[in-house]
Amino acid sequence: MTERRVLLVIGGGIAAYKSLELIRLLAKSGVRTRAIVTNAASHFVTPLSVGSLTEDKVYGDLFSLTDEAEMGHIQLSRSADLVVVAPATADLMAKVAHGLANDLASTALLATDKPVLMAPAMNVRMWLNAATQRNRARLAADGVQFIGPDDGAMACGEFGPGRMAEPQAIHDAILAFYDQRAIGQPLAGRKVLVTAGPTLEQIDPVRFISNRSSGKQGFAIAEALARLGAHVRLVSGPVALADPFGVDIVRVESAEQMLAACEAALPADAAVCVAAVADWRPESTASKKIKKGADGPPPISLSENPDILATLSKKKSKRPRLVVGFAAETNDVEAHAKQKLAKKGCDWIVANDVSGDVMGGDSNQVMIIRADGVERWPEMAKTAVAGKLAAEIAAALA
Ligand code: C5P
């Protein structure tokens, strides 16, 4: 096997300390890292500690005069299989989105012909700022892949999206990149339908029934399938996630709309139902806001929603060749998932234990249940689960 090499651009943010752990994890997996430390980053991590871990020279503007003699920025930007930016600051994202090249990091990012993976890290307001979101969308459209940011407490004392993905998750995404590169585009010419997110069932114009599904796992699966060459139609309920790159997305609200959008996507070679479809919807939706009255809370009678997974699995015509369902359980995961496989009529169930913080979180531990047995996967990032599942789907359709 040829040596695997990553060029790591460390941007100037407090999360830069986590990039040291990333280098260590990559080294343990046999991936060599060469690092560019921006001037701002060198206030957070010293080039000496980075270089001790990479066992290589560290590149930065402070040394660029001699480096240009030894290795130019063009060669540096292409000396790796993948360029990883962690932490990707708002400033670095903005520079790359606009093609600026006024320091070594941005010059290397502009000059590279290799895939780029960014792990953004910044204050929540900076992340949610329209300019950053515009840059993120621009970069995604240009083919940059993203991991994170995660939700959580931030160094600045605020709370929300902006924390850099954990080093383990970035490491897993990098290994998934190598796995995918090894298998190429086996799904070219195939069409796959993916459902994701919660559904929203309207009670009246302002109230609804829904659930806490974030859509992260479904979006990651859609993206992973697209990377393997599939034409992916992603039907998503309301989520706070940007359109994934290279995926044809249809956004819906209710379960009935989701089912209609799925039917419209057929024929498909495979369907992966990740959505947390609401089991019930209000029998009727009030056309005006229900008033708070003296009689206490109004009764809301519910009707059963269509089961999209079961409907697709039991179709007489146009049934996708492979139908995959998900099962979120809090106890007796395997037994319940086996029952679900039979009841829904699908081919595989991906079961996970949601008694922890899987919903909305970034990692997942799953087992794959098929008629002929159970496969247990270790805990990994949702993006890594997506990559591995996409590879198995490709193998099943081959
Ligand atoms: O029955 P339960 O909700 O546990 O089943 C989970 C699986 O069924 C998931 O794959 C989910 O996407 C799918 N499902 C569906 N339509 C429903 C309910 C669940 O597609 N109404």
Short mmCIF file of all heavy atoms in Angstrom, two decimals, residues 195 255 272-279 305-310 324-329 340 343-344 349, ligand 1:
data_model
loop_
_atom_site.label_atom_id
_atom_site.label_comp_id
_atom_site.label_asym_id
_atom_site.label_seq_id
_atom_site.Cartn_x
_atom_site.Cartn_y
_atom_site.Cartn_z
N THR A 195 -34.84 8.93 2.73
CA THR A 195 -35.67 9.85 3.51
C THR A 195 -34.90 10.25 4.75
O THR A 195 -34.10 9.48 5.27
CB THR A 195 -37.02 9.23 3.93
OG1 THR A 195 -36.79 8.22 4.93
CG2 THR A 195 -37.77 8.63 2.76
N ALA A 255 -45.86 13.64 6.84
CA ALA A 255 -45.63 12.25 6.40
C ALA A 255 -46.33 12.00 5.06
O ALA A 255 -45.78 11.32 4.18
CB ALA A 255 -46.16 11.28 7.45
N VAL A 272 -33.55 4.05 1.15
CA VAL A 272 -33.04 4.02 2.52
C VAL A 272 -33.91 4.97 3.35
O VAL A 272 -33.86 6.18 3.16
CB VAL A 272 -31.56 4.46 2.58
CG1 VAL A 272 -30.97 4.19 3.96
CG2 VAL A 272 -30.73 3.76 1.50
N CYS A 273 -34.73 4.39 4.23
CA CYS A 273 -35.69 5.21 4.99
C CYS A 273 -35.09 5.55 6.35
O CYS A 273 -35.13 4.74 7.28
CB CYS A 273 -37.00 4.45 5.16
SG CYS A 273 -37.85 4.21 3.60
N VAL A 274 -34.53 6.72 6.44
CA VAL A 274 -33.88 7.13 7.68
C VAL A 274 -34.79 8.08 8.46
O VAL A 274 -34.60 8.32 9.65
CB VAL A 274 -32.52 7.82 7.40
CG1 VAL A 274 -31.67 7.87 8.66
CG2 VAL A 274 -31.75 7.10 6.28
N ALA A 275 -35.77 8.66 7.78
CA ALA A 275 -36.62 9.67 8.42
C ALA A 275 -37.31 9.13 9.66
O ALA A 275 -37.70 7.97 9.72
CB ALA A 275 -37.67 10.15 7.42
N ALA A 276 -37.44 10.00 10.65
CA ALA A 276 -38.23 9.68 11.85
C ALA A 276 -39.63 10.23 11.58
O ALA A 276 -39.97 11.35 11.95
CB ALA A 276 -37.60 10.33 13.07
N VAL A 277 -40.40 9.41 10.87
CA VAL A 277 -41.74 9.84 10.46
C VAL A 277 -42.64 9.85 11.69
O VAL A 277 -42.65 8.88 12.45
CB VAL A 277 -42.29 8.88 9.39
CG1 VAL A 277 -43.68 9.30 8.94
CG2 VAL A 277 -41.34 8.77 8.21
N ALA A 278 -43.40 10.91 11.88
CA ALA A 278 -44.32 10.96 13.02
C ALA A 278 -45.34 9.83 12.86
O ALA A 278 -45.86 9.61 11.76
CB ALA A 278 -45.02 12.31 13.07
N ASP A 279 -45.60 9.13 13.94
CA ASP A 279 -46.54 8.01 13.85
C ASP A 279 -47.97 8.50 13.63
O ASP A 279 -48.75 7.84 12.97
CB ASP A 279 -46.45 7.16 15.12
CG ASP A 279 -45.12 6.43 15.21
OD1 ASP A 279 -44.72 5.84 14.19
OD2 ASP A 279 -44.48 6.47 16.28
N ASN A 305 -50.37 7.80 10.62
CA ASN A 305 -49.71 8.24 9.39
C ASN A 305 -49.40 7.04 8.51
O ASN A 305 -49.28 5.92 9.01
CB ASN A 305 -48.41 8.97 9.74
CG ASN A 305 -48.57 10.47 9.66
OD1 ASN A 305 -49.40 10.98 8.91
ND2 ASN A 305 -47.77 11.18 10.44
N PRO A 306 -49.24 7.26 7.21
CA PRO A 306 -48.81 6.13 6.36
C PRO A 306 -47.41 5.69 6.77
O PRO A 306 -46.59 6.52 7.17
CB PRO A 306 -48.79 6.75 4.95
CG PRO A 306 -48.68 8.22 5.16
CD PRO A 306 -49.37 8.51 6.47
N ASP A 307 -47.14 4.41 6.69
CA ASP A 307 -45.79 3.90 6.96
C ASP A 307 -45.05 3.86 5.62
O ASP A 307 -45.33 3.02 4.77
CB ASP A 307 -45.87 2.51 7.60
CG ASP A 307 -44.50 2.07 8.11
OD1 ASP A 307 -43.50 2.25 7.38
OD2 ASP A 307 -44.43 1.58 9.26
N ILE A 308 -44.14 4.78 5.46
CA ILE A 308 -43.47 4.94 4.16
C ILE A 308 -42.59 3.73 3.85
O ILE A 308 -42.62 3.17 2.75
CB ILE A 308 -42.65 6.25 4.15
CG1 ILE A 308 -43.62 7.42 4.35
CG2 ILE A 308 -41.86 6.39 2.85
CD1 ILE A 308 -42.96 8.74 4.63
N LEU A 309 -41.84 3.30 4.87
CA LEU A 309 -40.95 2.14 4.69
C LEU A 309 -41.75 0.90 4.28
O LEU A 309 -41.41 0.21 3.31
CB LEU A 309 -40.19 1.88 5.99
CG LEU A 309 -39.31 0.63 6.03
CD1 LEU A 309 -38.19 0.69 5.01
CD2 LEU A 309 -38.72 0.44 7.44
N ALA A 310 -42.85 0.63 5.02
CA ALA A 310 -43.66 -0.55 4.72
C ALA A 310 -44.31 -0.42 3.34
O ALA A 310 -44.37 -1.39 2.57
CB ALA A 310 -44.72 -0.76 5.80
N VAL A 324 -34.00 -0.42 2.74
CA VAL A 324 -33.33 -0.41 4.05
C VAL A 324 -34.12 0.49 5.00
O VAL A 324 -34.46 1.62 4.66
CB VAL A 324 -31.89 0.14 3.92
CG1 VAL A 324 -31.17 0.12 5.26
CG2 VAL A 324 -31.10 -0.65 2.86
N GLY A 325 -34.41 -0.04 6.19
CA GLY A 325 -35.10 0.76 7.20
C GLY A 325 -34.19 1.01 8.39
O GLY A 325 -33.14 0.37 8.53
N PHE A 326 -34.58 1.92 9.22
CA PHE A 326 -33.83 2.21 10.45
C PHE A 326 -34.73 1.88 11.63
O PHE A 326 -35.95 1.95 11.52
CB PHE A 326 -33.41 3.68 10.51
CG PHE A 326 -32.07 3.90 9.85
CD1 PHE A 326 -31.92 3.69 8.49
CD2 PHE A 326 -30.98 4.29 10.59
CE1 PHE A 326 -30.69 3.86 7.88
CE2 PHE A 326 -29.74 4.48 9.99
CZ PHE A 326 -29.59 4.26 8.64
N ALA A 327 -34.12 1.52 12.74
CA ALA A 327 -34.91 1.28 13.93
C ALA A 327 -34.21 1.94 15.10
O ALA A 327 -33.07 1.61 15.42
CB ALA A 327 -35.04 -0.22 14.18
N ALA A 328 -34.88 2.91 15.68
CA ALA A 328 -34.35 3.56 16.86
C ALA A 328 -35.04 2.92 18.06
O ALA A 328 -36.25 2.98 18.18
CB ALA A 328 -34.66 5.06 16.79
N GLU A 329 -34.26 2.29 18.91
CA GLU A 329 -34.85 1.59 20.05
C GLU A 329 -34.13 2.03 21.33
O GLU A 329 -32.99 2.46 21.28
CB GLU A 329 -34.67 0.06 19.90
CG GLU A 329 -35.18 -0.52 18.60
CD GLU A 329 -36.69 -0.60 18.52
OE1 GLU A 329 -37.36 -0.36 19.55
OE2 GLU A 329 -37.22 -0.89 17.43
N LYS A 340 -39.17 -5.87 13.41
CA LYS A 340 -39.44 -4.78 12.47
C LYS A 340 -39.13 -5.19 11.04
O LYS A 340 -39.86 -4.86 10.11
CB LYS A 340 -38.63 -3.55 12.87
CG LYS A 340 -39.21 -2.26 12.39
CD LYS A 340 -38.71 -1.08 13.19
CE LYS A 340 -39.42 -0.96 14.52
NZ LYS A 340 -38.98 0.20 15.29
N LYS A 343 -42.05 -7.25 9.96
CA LYS A 343 -43.30 -6.50 9.88
C LYS A 343 -43.32 -5.53 8.70
O LYS A 343 -44.31 -5.38 8.00
CB LYS A 343 -43.51 -5.74 11.19
CG LYS A 343 -44.95 -5.32 11.42
CD LYS A 343 -45.14 -4.67 12.77
CE LYS A 343 -45.01 -3.18 12.62
NZ LYS A 343 -44.76 -2.42 13.79
N LYS A 344 -42.18 -4.87 8.48
CA LYS A 344 -42.15 -3.84 7.43
C LYS A 344 -41.91 -4.43 6.05
O LYS A 344 -42.18 -3.80 5.04
CB LYS A 344 -41.05 -2.83 7.73
CG LYS A 344 -41.14 -2.21 9.10
CD LYS A 344 -41.74 -0.85 9.04
CE LYS A 344 -41.67 -0.17 10.41
NZ LYS A 344 -42.15 1.19 10.37
N ILE A 349 -32.44 -3.87 8.26
CA ILE A 349 -32.75 -2.85 9.27
C ILE A 349 -31.43 -2.41 9.89
O ILE A 349 -30.61 -3.26 10.28
CB ILE A 349 -33.69 -3.40 10.38
CG1 ILE A 349 -35.14 -3.55 9.90
CG2 ILE A 349 -33.62 -2.54 11.62
CD1 ILE A 349 -35.98 -2.28 9.98
O1 C5P B 1 -41.87 1.82 13.13
P1 C5P B 1 -40.66 2.61 13.36
O2 C5P B 1 -40.92 4.10 13.29
O3 C5P B 1 -39.83 2.27 14.54
O4 C5P B 1 -39.75 2.20 12.10
C1 C5P B 1 -38.63 2.87 11.76
C2 C5P B 1 -38.39 2.75 10.27
O5 C5P B 1 -39.59 2.91 9.53
C3 C5P B 1 -37.49 3.85 9.77
O6 C5P B 1 -36.77 3.36 8.67
C4 C5P B 1 -38.47 4.92 9.33
O7 C5P B 1 -37.90 5.77 8.37
C5 C5P B 1 -39.60 4.09 8.77
N1 C5P B 1 -40.92 4.68 8.91
C6 C5P B 1 -41.57 5.17 7.79
N2 C5P B 1 -42.84 5.68 7.92
C7 C5P B 1 -43.46 5.68 9.11
C8 C5P B 1 -42.82 5.20 10.25
C9 C5P B 1 -41.54 4.71 10.11
O8 C5P B 1 -40.99 5.17 6.71
N3 C5P B 1 -44.69 6.17 9.20
#
